[in-house]
Amino acid sequence: MKENNNHQPGGSKISRRDLLKAGAVLGGMSLLPAFSAAATLTSNVQSSASSTLRRKLGNLEVSPVGLGCQWLPTSKQGVVTDFYASRITRTEAINLIRSAVDNGVTLFDTAEMYGPFVSEEIVGEALQGVRNKIAIETKFGGDIDPDTGKMGARGMNSRPEHVRRAVEGSLKRLRTDRIDLLYQHRVDPTVPIEDVAGVVKDLMDEGKVLNWGLSEPGIQTIRRAHAALPLAAIQNEYSMLWRGPEAEVLPLCEELGISFVCWSPLGMGFLSGKISADSKFGSGATFDLQASDEQFDFRALVPRFAPENLKTNMALYAVVTKWAHRKEVLPSQIALAWLLAQKPWIVPIPGTTKVAHMKQNIQASSITFTPDELREINRDVASIRIAGGRLPKEEEQSVGADTPPRG
């Protein structure tokens, strides 16, 4: 299929308030890993992802570490950014994805909301020629006009007719005839999940969708969705910095046989070594949604990154660096290896703008913990109390939500 070029960088964009209202500002992107002595602390990990390591997402077998592709347009033509002020040209983004394929990555995460449409266009172009070797997961759910990319008044929209139009648009932008794993990006509180499952099943029957999942849903919605149409995966935030899924979501996934994909597995860059106790975010680290696109950093809105909380939370980074030195690897690699060690059906999808950092991330799958080491590191992580909430109040309203009963 030909790429849909109706939306170009620098064109119509969703405002930050709309993004927060829609509950779709988050995904798998994280800041660049950094660590003193990085050149010397990678000796005991492999140079590329092992082709023999695979994890299951529904009927898919994917690399243990995927690649998050959360890119948005900037005011500069041909340049895209993430929500954390990291920039990359479209050409560099395409090359990054292709390099990830060359290094064994087989899972690529995107969404119609990222741009909107920009990330899907980049992913679709980058994966031409290797489509049968990889898996693409994308998301629907925003009240986005499939033709113009403009946000509607509803914020979220999972009405069946809208879902179908959204998926048809994603297929065109991704230049493919099927989506390997399709997520509802956030629960639509006005549409019963059984109705959403119904339209997804129709798309599966047509061969346009192979597996489906939910992102940040409520517990009862997971149960109802799975009963209506078996879920392949839940995609929630999960990292050493945010362990919320451990209480209910992960046990439910294990009970029902649903895999789990972690967005922001490096804690929005906190676990990579890029952030210090004195880090500032965005325009003077103010919680100002009117800051220019070139200055905006989503973390300026997140309570756990507020100055007084950030200093407290550095205690967790001290744990990460202790283990990085002990295992002679990077902090980012410890954070990802820890996630992989929790369950064999967990797949993190870190993002980056640098090929070198992408390679470091996927090498984390080669790091192992003995049973004693895993118990010890789990105790270390659990001993740290994280200060501040994980999301702005507007975004908190859209996570963990349940849909109304059918009928």
Side-chain angles (χ1 to χ4, degrees):
M1 294 182 180
K2 293 183 179 179
E3 181 178 13
N4 183 343
N5 291 315
N6 291 334
H7 183 87
Q8 297 294 336
S12 175
K13 293 183 284 186
I14 297 174
S15 71
R16 286 182 286 278
R17 289 190 184 277
D18 284 338
L19 282 164
L20 289 170
K21 179 180 179 182
V25 296
L26 300 173
M29 207 68 173
S30 62
L31 276 185
L32 311 181
F35 190 59
S36 59
T40 62
L41 294 181
T42 57
S43 59
N44 69 336
V45 296
Q46 298 175 9
S47 61
S48 63
S50 172
S51 61
T52 62
L53 297 175
R54 289 291 183 268
R55 297 203 167 196
K56 295 279 289 185
L57 300 178
N59 61 22
L60 305 173
E61 288 192 355
V62 301
S63 54
V65 177
L67 180 66
C69 304
Q70 188 200 48
W71 294 314
L72 319 169
T74 67
S75 57
K76 185 176 180 181
Q77 190 76 11
V79 176
V80 293
T81 186
D82 62 18
F83 277 95
Y84 315 120
S86 294
R87 291 168 187 80
I88 188 172
T89 68
R90 287 172 68 103
T91 299
E92 289 169 337
I94 289 168
N95 290 338
L96 173 68
I97 293 171
R98 290 174 177 169
S99 179
V101 174
D102 291 341
N103 281 273
V105 175
T106 65
L107 180 67
F108 296 85
D109 180 86
T110 183
E112 62 163 1
M113 182 68 74
Y114 303 156
F117 306 159
V118 170
S119 174
E120 287 185 327
E121 292 171 357
I122 291 172
V123 170
E125 181 176 350
L127 295 176
Q128 289 297 288
V130 296
R131 182 64 185 90
N132 293 331
K133 299 178 181 179
I134 55 87
I136 296 173
E137 53 180 33
T138 192
K139 312 174 196 74
F140 67 87
D143 190 21
I144 303 170
D145 187 301
D147 299 318
T148 66
K150 292 182 179 179
M151 176 68 76
R154 298 186 72 239
M156 302 308 296
N157 189 344
S158 283
R159 293 172 177 169
E161 64 276 12
H162 185 83
V163 172
R164 176 170 284 280
R165 290 186 66 201
V167 170
E168 295 290 354
S170 291
L171 288 168
K172 291 178 181 178
R173 289 184 293 273
L174 292 167
R175 305 187 188 190
T176 187
D177 60 353
R178 81 278 186 191
I179 294 167
D180 299 289
L181 178 49
L182 177 70
Y183 295 98
Q184 183 188 45
H185 207 149
R186 293 292 186 270
V187 165
D188 184 334
T190 69
V191 179
I193 198 64
E194 291 83 1
D195 292 351
V196 180
V199 67
V200 173
K201 183 179 186 304
D202 290 342
L203 291 163
M204 286 183 172
D205 290 343
E206 297 165 19
K208 295 176 180 178
V209 174
L210 304 186
N211 298 269
W212 86 302
L214 305 176
S215 183
E216 298 288 350
I219 292 297
Q220 293 309 312
T221 294
I222 296 174
R223 288 192 178 277
R224 289 167 51 200
H226 191 67
L229 183 66
L231 293 163
I234 298 297
Q235 185 181 132
N236 283 13
E237 181 182 8
Y238 183 36
S239 70
M240 289 178 168
L241 188 63
W242 171 249
R243 297 170 56 212
E246 294 175 355
E248 294 184 280
V249 177
L250 290 178
L252 182 57
C253 285
E254 190 153 38
E255 174 192 335
L256 299 178
I258 302 170
S259 297
F260 189 92
V261 174
C262 317
W263 66 259
S264 199
L266 296 178
M268 301 183 190
F270 179 86
L271 301 168
S272 69
K274 187 71 174 180
I275 294 174
S276 71
D278 299 319
S279 290
K280 305 296 181 182
F281 306 101
S283 180
T286 61
F287 285 40
D288 181 11
L289 281 171
Q290 303 305 314
S292 72
D293 287 345
E294 300 304 312
Q295 297 174 318
F296 178 72
D297 189 319
F298 179 71
R299 291 165 300 184
L301 306 173
V302 176
R304 66 189 177 199
F305 291 107
E308 65 276 12
N309 292 330
L310 187 58
K311 288 180 172 61
T312 298
N313 294 338
M314 292 308 295
L316 176 61
Y317 186 65
V319 168
V320 179
T321 54
K322 179 187 82 170
W323 279 90
H325 284 294
R326 178 167 166 177
K327 301 291 281 186
E328 297 186 322
V329 296
L330 302 173
S332 56
Q333 292 171 329
I334 284 292
L336 294 172
W338 177 82
L339 284 169
L340 292 168
Q342 299 307 306
K343 297 292 180 182
W345 35 266
I346 287 177
V347 179
I349 48 169
T352 182
T353 57
K354 300 293 185 182
V355 170
H357 299 140
M358 175 272 295
K359 291 180 179 179
Q360 290 170 359
N361 289 341
I362 63 179
Q363 287 163 3
S365 64
S366 299
I367 300 169
T368 59
F369 299 98
T370 67
D372 286 344
E373 286 177 330
L374 186 58
R375 283 190 288 270
E376 183 181 351
I377 192 172
N378 283 342
R379 285 195 301 269
D380 286 349
V381 173
S383 71
I384 305 299
R385 182 179 180 276
I386 301 302
R390 70 163 176 138
L391 294 170
K393 289 183 179 179
E394 289 178 87
E395 170 72 2
E396 284 281 10
Q397 296 173 1
S398 69
V399 300
D402 285 309
T403 69
R406 194 174 195 179

